[in-house]
Every structure is written in structure tokens, then in C-alpha cells.
Amino acid sequence: MGYARNHLATIVTGAFALVLTGLWQPMVDFAPDLNFIFIMSVPITWFMVLTCWLSQKSADYATNHSHAHEVHQKKSLSSTQTAQVEIPKEVNLSEIKQIQNELSGELNELKFSVELKDGEIERLNQEILNLKTLVQIESLKSELANLKILSSKRK
């Protein structure tokens, strides 16, 4: 995580908006011509602060980088590591063979589904080629019909 949980842009823009807001009141009395500039700049900078804050919150939500998520993740990692250390599990050869057979069965099912999907993709590609050919034939027919119309007009 970056500085101030990646809210550095929000902090800097907020500081600038705070300074502008603080300068606004004394400048109104001192230089009335600057009032318009402050009327425009102060709301814009506060809007920029809000935009920076919302965009960082959105980025944190999209990438799951919230502080609570990190703390929970660290806690879950430490608890799983201690659980693995405390409970050693012995696996005998027959269990390994059984697990291996189950995994090879699942692998074969996946291979079969991939082959089915590859066949479906190939069939769809062939249909696309056929449709392109039909479109070309139809365009040639329409071009031929246009040529016939033009030749009949010349006669």
C-alpha cells in the first residue's frame, strides 16, 4: 500500500482546498475583485477532493485492498499456518492411489469437455466460413442483377 493508504492525492488536494477556503474570507474584504476567482476555485477544489477520494475508494474496492481485508487475510494466513503445523496428517499409499485415480478421472472428464468445445468451435468456424461464402454469392448476384439492369437501360 502506498503513502496514507494511497490517499496522498486526496490529502494534497484537500490541503490546497483548505488553504483556498481559509484565504477566501480575508481576501473578500481586502480585494473584492478576487471574490469571483474564489467563488469559482473553492468549490472546484473541494469537488476535486471528493473525486480523488471516491476514485481511490473505488480502486480499493475493485482490487480488494481495503485495510480490513488485509487484516483478515493476515489473520487467516496465520491461523492456517498454525493449523498446518499443529496437525500433521499421514497419508498411506492406498489413499494416494485413490486420490490419484479420482484426479485422473476428473482430468479425463475435463479433456473430454475440452474436446467437445474444440469440436463446437471448429463447427462454428466452418459455419462462419459458409456464411461468408453465402454473403459473397449474394453480393455477386446483386452485382450481376445491377449489371443486367444497366445493360437493359443502354439497349
Side-chain angles (χ1 to χ4, degrees), residues 29-44:
D29 298 333
F30 182 67
D33 297 333
L34 292 176
N35 193 26
F36 177 73
I37 293 171
F38 279 101
I39 286 175
M40 296 301 290
S41 62
V42 169
I44 289 171

Side-chain angles (χ1 to χ4, degrees), residues 44-61:
I44 289 171
T45 53
W46 282 113
F47 177 74
M48 287 173 51
V49 170
L50 178 69
T51 305
C52 289
W53 182 78
L54 283 175
S55 64
Q56 186 57 50
K57 284 295 185 182
S58 172
D60 287 345
Y61 179 77

Side-chain angles (χ1 to χ4, degrees), residues 116-130:
L116 287 177
K117 290 184 193 244
D118 285 344
E120 182 71 17
I121 289 171
E122 186 60 37
R123 186 186 64 77
L124 289 173
N125 283 336
Q126 187 61 40
E127 269 188 50
I128 289 170
L129 289 175
N130 291 342

Side-chain angles (χ1 to χ4, degrees), residues 5-138:
R5 291 195 202 149
N6 288 336
H7 284 284
L8 193 58
T10 307
I11 293 169
V12 170
T13 310
F16 182 64
L18 192 63
V19 167
L20 280 178
T21 305
L23 288 176
W24 186 6
Q25 290 304 321
M27 287 298 202
V28 170
D29 298 333
F30 182 67
D33 297 333
L34 292 176
N35 193 26
F36 177 73
I37 293 171
F38 279 101
I39 286 175
M40 296 301 290
S41 62
V42 169
I44 289 171
T45 53
W46 282 113
F47 177 74
M48 287 173 51
V49 170
L50 178 69
T51 305
C52 289
W53 182 78
L54 283 175
S55 64
Q56 186 57 50
K57 284 295 185 182
S58 172
D60 287 345
Y61 179 77
T63 57
N64 291 330
H65 283 290
S66 67
H67 183 66
H69 177 73
E70 288 177 3
V71 169
H72 175 70
Q73 191 175 21
K74 287 178 184 176
K75 285 181 181 177
S76 66
L77 284 176
S78 64
S79 65
T80 56
Q81 288 172 351
T82 57
Q84 289 174 355
V85 172
E86 292 173 4
I87 307 171
K89 184 175 181 182
E90 293 181 17
V91 180
N92 60 21
L93 187 60
S94 64
E95 289 177 353
I96 291 174
K97 290 288 185 184
Q98 181 185 2
I99 293 171
Q100 186 178 15
N101 289 337
E102 289 174 6
L103 291 175
S104 63
E106 288 179 18
L107 181 63
N108 289 336
E109 288 177 15
L110 286 173
K111 284 181 182 178
F112 181 71
S113 68
V114 167
E115 288 173 0
L116 287 177
K117 290 184 193 244
D118 285 344
E120 182 71 17
I121 289 171
E122 186 60 37
R123 186 186 64 77
L124 289 173
N125 283 336
Q126 187 61 40
E127 269 188 50
I128 289 170
L129 289 175
N130 291 342
L131 287 173
K132 285 181 181 178
T133 305
L134 287 173
V135 166
Q136 290 172 347
I137 290 171
E138 289 299 320

